[in-house]
Amino acid sequence: QVHLVESGGGVVQPGRSLRLSCAASGFTFSSYFMYWVRQAPGKGLEWVAVISNDGSHEYYADSVKGRFTISRDNSKNALFLQMSSLRAEDTAVYYCARDKDIMLTFGGVINYWGQGTLVTVSS
Amino acid sequence: SYVLTQPPSVSVAPGQTATITCGGNSIGYKSVQWYQQRPGQAPVVVVYDDSDRPSGIPERFSGSNSGNAVTLTISRVEAGDEADYYCQVWDSTSDHYVFGPGTKVTVL
């Protein structure tokens, strides 16, 4: 079955960088659009970024555009989120997620989720 | 940017029906998803494309999008339905996925 495992979270100082990873298994990774969604402590869900199946297209939330970069390595079934210029408001659990269906365009259903990795931005 | 609205909370007695609304500009033209998130767990989609249910989701969960009103209805509410529920859409104008603020469902 679909399995998504995030890693790379931790405590980081404001202004520093961090790279999250997501190991995918149980499906043909290269066929699916992938997402990062985050949730600040006690707050709601916030979509962060999405990447097409071949990595050729990506979109970002306004709050992270220019600071975060989503990427993937289809040969290693891995999704990444490179986060730079981190701020206190980036503190959250970051979820890796997969689209429900094989899509040709954006706008699908975020169907499968990992258990998340906590990023804490604090001095 | 596109904004979704939801009531902060809904309380319902066991066996009764809970109705959660989701509002947004011209939301009738969009496909709406609903996610359930129990404390300490990852979200689970309970309704997608306005009214479709993934396999494994009880028929008690239903969605509708009548153009002016988008709702998630939970019939015959059980204690296990206590969770936060989020609506979500894709806004093609901004190329953004948008989540509503969430509704906490409390089973009395």
Side-chain angles (χ1 to χ4, degrees):
Chain A
Q1 72 270 25
V2 176
H3 202 44
L4 301 168
V5 179
E6 303 91 339
S7 61
V11 180
V12 60
Q13 294 180 327
R16 304 297 292 267
S17 298
L18 198 65
R19 189 194 198 205
L20 303 183
S21 299
C22 172
S25 60
F27 64 100
T28 304
F29 181 72
S30 60
S31 294
Y32 289 87
F33 289 18
M34 296 294 295
Y35 305 82
W36 288 101
V37 178
R38 70 184 181 183
Q39 187 169 35
K43 303 297 184 182
L45 301 172
E46 180 187 17
W47 167 74
V48 173
V50 61
I51 188 167
S52 60
N53 63 306
D54 62 359
S56 62
H57 294 82
E58 58 211 55
Y59 293 117
Y60 298 91
D62 294 344
S63 58
V64 307
K65 193 171 184 178
R67 299 188 300 122
F68 290 12
T69 301
I70 187 172
S71 62
R72 63 192 297 161
D73 185 339
N74 285 347
S75 68
K76 297 181 178 179
N77 292 346
L79 178 73
F80 306 102
L81 185 67
Q82 179 68 46
M83 305 184 293
S84 60
S85 302
L86 283 162
R87 308 165 179 167
E89 54 264 36
D90 295 319
T91 295
V93 172
Y94 285 74
Y95 293 101
C96 162
R98 195 205 86 174
D99 216 301
K100 175 179 173 293
D101 299 308
I102 295 174
M103 300 290 290
L104 298 178
T105 62
F106 292 97
V109 177
I110 307 172
N111 194 44
Y112 295 96
W113 301 66
Q115 285 305 305
T117 186
L118 176 62
V119 173
T120 302
V121 183
S122 173
S123 54
Chain B
S1 60
Y2 194 80
V3 176
L4 292 171
T5 59
Q6 295 181 238
S9 63
V10 167
S11 298
V12 59
Q16 299 303 303
T17 297
T19 301
I20 306 169
T21 58
C22 177
N25 185 35
S26 300
I27 195 170
Y29 295 100
K30 299 183 183 301
S31 174
V32 181
Q33 280 63 247
W34 289 94
Y35 297 86
Q36 175 195 67
Q37 187 180 33
R38 296 188 174 104
Q41 296 187 19
V44 172
V45 59
V46 293
V47 167
Y48 66 94
D49 291 347
D50 296 336
S51 59
D52 290 337
R53 242 184 345 268
S55 60
I57 300 300
E59 291 183 4
R60 301 185 297 104
F61 290 84
S62 62
S64 67
N65 186 342
S66 65
N68 292 324
V70 174
T71 60
L72 173 70
T73 301
I74 311 172
S75 304
R76 303 180 299 282
V77 166
E78 302 174 356
D81 298 332
E82 191 162 278
D84 294 322
Y85 291 83
Y86 299 88
C87 58
Q88 177 262 318
V89 300
W90 160 252
D91 179 37
S92 57
T93 300
S94 61
D95 292 325
H96 281 31
Y97 292 80
V98 180
F99 284 95
T103 297
K104 182 175 181 60
V105 170
T106 299
V107 181
L108 301 171

